[in-house]
Amino acid sequence: MECQECHERPATLHFKKINNGEETSVSMCEDCAKKKGYMSYPEEGYSLHDLLTGLFNFDNLKMANPSGNQLKQVKELQCTSCGMTFSEFKKVGKFGCAHCYESFDSRLGPIFRRVHAGNTKHFGKIPKRAGSDLHVKKQLKSYKDELKNLIEAEAFEEAAKVRDKIKALEKGHREPEAGDER
């Protein structure tokens, strides 16, 4: 069947219009339907939101029924606190509350790996100027862990050196370096 408007392309859309009880049917191509206002599409391209939600669309919530080829809907995953469903999260791209992380935890790993190029843990960075205390605390923790391991391995000479480094850091002095004499 050809388009009733342009008579050039095949009709791919069929519309029924009822006006005052009178039914009229029209068959037309997609281009003519857009021109006549029967259809309106947003821009042809994808937005960034469409791209990101496409990344999240990794799970189809349908699975095969063992009794045949019929498909049945699996129960929708939902946040226990705010009630947001996983499909709503995929559409919006934001969580409803802080508990959504726990509720959707089983499905977030693949999403984070895709979005963050395989990295699933964030270690953070500390500014040198503003985070000097944090650097010292982090270094102390590292030394204390090392000291514990050395004591368990009965490497007491190395453990004494690490102990001295810990004492120096705690007093706010520079770390003793190799070759320093006391």
Side-chain angles (χ1 to χ4, degrees), residues 76 78 82-94:
E76 180 74 42
Q78 189 172 19
C82 69
M84 176 179 255
T85 63
F86 190 72
S87 59
E88 289 172 347
F89 159 68
K90 289 191 312 185
K91 287 178 188 172
V92 175
K94 296 180 186 176

Side-chain angles (χ1 to χ4, degrees), residues 85-132:
T85 63
F86 190 72
S87 59
E88 289 172 347
F89 159 68
K90 289 191 312 185
K91 287 178 188 172
V92 175
K94 296 180 186 176
F95 287 128
C97 69
H99 298 284
C100 289
Y101 284 98
E102 296 167 9
S103 299
F104 304 138
D105 184 47
S106 62
R107 296 195 182 168
L108 295 179
I111 294 171
F112 291 152
R113 276 192 291 283
R114 287 181 192 175
V115 173
H116 296 292
N119 298 324
T120 57
K121 293 187 180 182
H122 178 70
F123 297 103
K125 294 183 180 178
I126 302 170
K128 289 182 181 179
R129 190 170 15 120
S132 62

